[in-house]
Amino acid sequence: MAAAAIFASMRRRRSPCLEAFIAPVDLCDVALVQTLGCLTRELISGFSGKSLHFQRKNSRSLLRRVEFFCVLLEFLNDGGSELPSTAVLCFKELYLMLYRSKVLLDYCGKSSKLWLLLQNHMISGHFHDLNQDFCTLLDVFPIKDVELSEDFREQLELLWLQSRMAKFYMDKHDEELRIRLFAFLEEFENGQIPNPIELRVFFVDQLGIKDVNGFRAEIEFLEEQVMGYEGDVEPPCSVLNGFVALTRYCRFSLCGFEEDVKDVGCCGRTRWQRKGLIIQEIVETFGTIPKDFCCPISLELMRDPVIVSTGQTYDRRSISRWMEEGHCNCPKTGQTLAHTPLVPNRALRNLIVQWCSAHGITYDPLEPNEASSESFPAPSPSRAAIEANKATAAILVQQLASGSQQEKMMAAKEIRLLAKTGKENRAFIAEAGAIPYLGELLLSASAITQEISVTAMLNLSIYDQNKSRIMEEKGCLESIVKVLELGMTTEARENAAATLFSLSAVHDYKKRIADERGAVEALAGLLREGSARGKKDAVTALFNLSTHSENSSRLVEAGAISALVGALENEGVGEEAAGTLALIVRQPIAAEAVAKEEVAITGLLGMMRRGTPRGKEHAVAALLELCRSGGTTASDRILRAPALAGLLQSLLFTGTKRARRKAASLARVFQRCEQLSLHHGGMGVGYAFADNSTTNRDTTFVSDVSMSMPVPVL
């Protein structure tokens, strides 16, 4: 139990959990003394030779107490006399205190230097609390009842006296460094860039952060604190973001790009590749996702785990959709939900974040419209963070313009990382002139450079004003399409497709993208032959393009229709493919093309039978529009399908609200054709439908199709 608690505390890399241990209740006095002896020796051997950068005096004082207890325990173990019950109780308490000491010393030894500075007050308080607990232990320790030599009794009394006199201690030098760190941030807050000489003295000479690896470790540690922030830690999240930005600026202004250039193995594989950007490595890692991290409904990694009234945890998006469809019971247990509010499972979310970080997996942040009302609001970026990031962007863009090919690649990688979060970052990176240089790198002969640059372009394109900058940059759209067609890695092609999806969010650009030579053909090819994620990127881009009525003929010519029909059988993208078809068949030319596909109607009926609730909704909408726009041949094939009547009746009772409305409209079309067939001597099937009044025909059919497709941030 204790080891597990230590591991959990250190993985969180937050305030050390000093109360999460259980005393050993099943150890006799001899075994207890031996166990405590092992613990004290482990602490002494593990930390006596280490020189902590901060909290030196507090840690030395703590270790001196541990050393005394180590000698005392050895003396008692050699004596072999039986301990009184009060002494056993004291030693069980000592067991807890030794583990707490280990966690605290580990925390000071493994945390980042900047984080230790920021937490200087809190950590000093933990050392003081431990000292007070040692004092309390010595207060009640039965010295007279334990067989000790006179010198041991004197040392024990002296230790007790020292513990009682000890006061809260915080190193003045450490505190001066903490204040200086805040002063640097305040300079950025006031729109000034700190003196580079002072920055070098502080970070390199005083903190000992001397190279790129040191700065990278500090940035990653602080970013982890931001990611797991829950509102109960000082400093606030906005201030932490400012320190991340300050450290990133110092990393480039003080160290440049030299170390990163050297960080290339003999096989030419950079650290970027080794961390798993290539999709195959990510897929392999995803195969080991712990079962508890997956939503019981979607079976996918949960992004926003929430708890329902029955105590079960689901992903917010999945359980919300379940309840929107009219279900009032827990999917896993079948119990009726006593209430509908969803409680965020922050503990599980933090574990998922940490697991993803440990395995090199990007954990997609929540979209703004998906964030729960119960969660902490995302803080607005401080001016200090904005100014520091702006200064960093200027350095990176300068490197893109004049650096070597390797340095350009590293600058593009850092721009991609900087553009992952915050519209402000995406705005001033583009304002600094990054887009033209990234456009040039898209056609690089280096696979990793191409992959990084298209990913950076994708992240920048999420900001609306950057979309126009990208589209207006000469040759940029053409280069993105070239990567989509001929990209040297699967990841590059996928991110190019996602970039087109992002750009096509602007209605005026949908026609330009569709008319770009090879764009639609490449998307259709990726939908047919791409990876699971590639198919997703391709179908979402095609969905966006299909919302422009003038693109229908282009989609038909490029073979996108057959690719979408073929995707209906794919569990991963079938729902999106059905939604795209439901939109595109509103145009007669596209409806005719769909009707000519042999498996189109069969695929849509299959989606109605075994698809998701949203997929069934899209499928019935597509069939209804085919009846209206696809001509008599298409409508005859649909209405004569043997399974149609049963599927419609099932959907009328179990479908979503919109699906029931569309199914009712298609049912009326079916019945009119059946009645007409009987009138002319044909043979009718004779099915009865709910809501089959021909006087209430749904002439206001809502043909809009919606899909939840956030632009990925990579």
Side-chain angles (χ1 to χ4, degrees), residues 647-703:
L647 291 172
L648 286 177
Q649 190 159 15
S650 174
L651 203 57
L652 283 167
F653 289 104
T654 63
T656 64
K657 183 178 179 180
R658 293 174 63 206
R660 290 196 298 268
R661 185 175 65 246
K662 295 167 186 176
S665 297
L666 185 54
R668 286 191 288 270
V669 175
F670 182 92
Q671 285 192 321
R672 283 197 302 275
C673 290
E674 184 184 54
Q675 291 167 3
L676 185 61
S677 177
L678 289 171
H679 179 72
H680 290 284
M683 298 182 64
V685 184
Y687 291 100
F689 288 93
D691 190 19
N692 59 4
S693 171
T694 58
T695 60
N696 294 323
R697 181 183 178 187
D698 181 12
T699 57
T700 59
F701 170 68
V702 181
S703 57

Side-chain angles (χ1 to χ4, degrees), residues 601-602 604-610 616 620 623 641-655 663 687 689:
I601 295 173
T602 304
L604 290 170
L605 289 171
M607 177 66 66
M608 286 180 63
R609 180 181 298 108
R610 58 182 178 274
K616 293 177 181 179
V620 70
L623 290 172
L644 179 64
L647 291 172
L648 286 177
Q649 190 159 15
S650 174
L651 203 57
L652 283 167
F653 289 104
T654 63
Y687 291 100
F689 288 93

Side-chain angles (χ1 to χ4, degrees), residues 135-273:
C135 181
T136 302
L137 176 67
L138 294 172
D139 277 339
V140 299
F141 188 79
I143 299 179
K144 297 179 180 179
D145 299 333
V146 179
E147 295 183 8
L148 296 174
S149 63
E150 191 62 30
D151 60 331
F152 261 112
R153 291 180 188 276
E154 292 177 358
Q155 291 182 43
L156 200 59
E157 290 173 355
L158 180 61
L159 180 62
W160 169 79
L161 182 61
Q162 291 174 342
S163 298
R164 286 188 65 86
M165 295 177 61
K167 297 180 180 180
F168 175 84
Y169 175 79
M170 185 166 57
D171 190 287
K172 291 183 179 179
H173 178 67
D174 293 354
E175 186 61 13
E176 289 173 359
L177 289 177
R178 189 183 73 86
I179 294 172
R180 187 71 187 106
L181 181 60
F182 273 92
F184 287 133
L185 198 64
E186 188 175 358
E187 288 187 62
F188 273 118
E189 188 78 28
N190 295 329
Q192 302 173 353
I193 297 179
N195 186 307
I197 297 177
E198 294 180 3
L199 288 174
R200 180 173 294 279
V201 169
F202 180 83
F203 282 92
V204 178
D205 298 339
Q206 294 181 311
L207 295 189
I209 307 173
K210 299 180 179 180
D211 54 25
V212 169
N213 291 332
F215 277 103
R216 184 188 293 123
E218 294 288 328
I219 292 169
E220 290 176 354
F221 194 102
L222 293 178
E223 285 179 334
E224 188 174 329
Q225 307 312 310
V226 173
M227 187 180 299
Y229 187 81
E230 295 183 358
D232 58 348
V233 177
E234 291 292 335
C237 194
S238 58
V239 177
L240 279 178
N241 275 317
F243 285 118
V244 171
L246 168 64
T247 311
R248 184 180 288 113
Y249 170 76
C250 292
R251 172 251 183 277
F252 292 106
S253 64
L254 300 181
C255 297
F257 293 79
E258 294 181 6
E259 292 296 324
D260 271 340
V261 172
K262 294 177 183 178
D263 190 18
V264 179
C266 59
C267 298
R269 291 179 61 81
T270 65
R271 185 174 187 271
W272 170 270
Q273 287 173 304

Side-chain angles (χ1 to χ4, degrees), residues 341-361:
L342 304 174
V343 180
N345 191 336
R346 298 193 185 98
L348 180 59
R349 184 174 187 272
N350 286 339
L351 287 174
I352 294 174
V353 169
Q354 292 155 13
W355 182 86
C356 289
S357 176
H359 288 76
I361 298 172

Side-chain angles (χ1 to χ4, degrees), residues 387-694:
E387 293 298 327
N389 283 331
K390 189 179 294 186
T392 302
I395 297 175
L396 295 174
V397 173
Q398 178 61 36
Q399 201 68 26
L400 277 180
S402 58
S404 66
Q405 288 301 311
Q406 193 67 39
E407 290 169 339
K408 288 181 179 180
M409 184 268 287
M410 297 309 305
K413 184 194 83 167
E414 295 300 331
I415 284 176
R416 165 211 167 247
L417 295 174
L418 189 58
K420 281 181 68 173
T421 56
K423 65 179 181 180
E424 294 82 6
N425 291 359
R426 296 172 188 129
F428 57 64
I429 288 173
E431 291 168 0
I435 289 176
Y437 299 116
L438 289 174
E440 294 175 3
L441 292 180
L442 290 174
L443 302 181
S444 169
S446 165
I448 192 64
T449 300
Q450 181 186 75
E451 186 175 324
I452 291 171
S453 58
V454 75
T455 308
M457 192 75 77
L458 167 61
N459 290 348
L460 291 176
S461 72
I462 297 171
Y463 183 54
D464 286 344
Q465 293 184 17
N466 286 348
K467 298 184 197 301
S468 60
R469 290 189 174 104
I470 294 172
M471 293 296 291
E472 291 167 8
E473 181 64 34
K474 184 178 179 181
C476 196
L477 176 61
E478 180 183 357
S479 297
I480 294 171
V481 173
K482 287 292 184 184
V483 176
L484 175 62
E485 289 182 296
L486 307 170
M488 288 179 275
T489 68
T490 302
E491 185 87 352
R493 295 181 62 205
E494 292 168 351
N495 290 345
T499 306
L500 293 184
F501 164 62
S502 175
L503 296 172
S504 63
V506 179
H507 184 76
D508 293 342
Y509 298 153
K510 295 178 182 182
K511 187 71 167 62
R512 284 182 57 187
I513 293 172
D515 289 341
E516 184 66 34
R517 182 178 178 182
V520 179
E521 288 87 349
L523 289 173
L526 189 61
L527 180 55
R528 290 191 192 94
E529 303 172 359
S531 65
R533 192 201 137 199
K535 292 176 185 290
K536 198 85 166 180
D537 291 328
V539 75
T540 52
L542 290 172
F543 173 87
N544 251 14
L545 297 179
S546 68
T547 59
H548 196 297
S549 58
E550 296 181 20
N551 284 342
S552 299
S553 58
R554 183 73 188 90
L555 292 171
V556 172
E557 293 170 3
I561 301 297
S562 61
L564 288 166
V565 170
L568 290 172
E569 298 296 324
N570 188 300
E571 185 177 348
V573 296
E575 177 182 314
E576 290 84 353
T580 307
L581 289 172
L583 279 175
I584 201 170
V585 295
R586 286 181 289 181
Q587 303 300 319
I589 185 173
E592 291 177 10
V594 172
K596 291 178 182 177
E597 293 288 333
E598 292 294 330
V599 296
I601 295 173
T602 304
L604 290 170
L605 289 171
M607 177 66 66
M608 286 180 63
R609 180 181 298 108
R610 58 182 178 274
T612 63
R614 188 65 61 86
K616 293 177 181 179
E617 178 183 308
H618 294 335
V620 70
L623 290 172
L624 179 59
E625 286 301 310
L626 270 176
C627 286
R628 292 175 171 175
S629 306
T632 56
T633 302
S635 59
D636 285 348
R637 286 180 58 197
I638 293 170
L639 298 174
R640 292 182 183 278
L644 179 64
L647 291 172
L648 286 177
Q649 190 159 15
S650 174
L651 203 57
L652 283 167
F653 289 104
T654 63
T656 64
K657 183 178 179 180
R658 293 174 63 206
R660 290 196 298 268
R661 185 175 65 246
K662 295 167 186 176
S665 297
L666 185 54
R668 286 191 288 270
V669 175
F670 182 92
Q671 285 192 321
R672 283 197 302 275
C673 290
E674 184 184 54
Q675 291 167 3
L676 185 61
S677 177
L678 289 171
H679 179 72
H680 290 284
M683 298 182 64
V685 184
Y687 291 100
F689 288 93
D691 190 19
N692 59 4
S693 171
T694 58

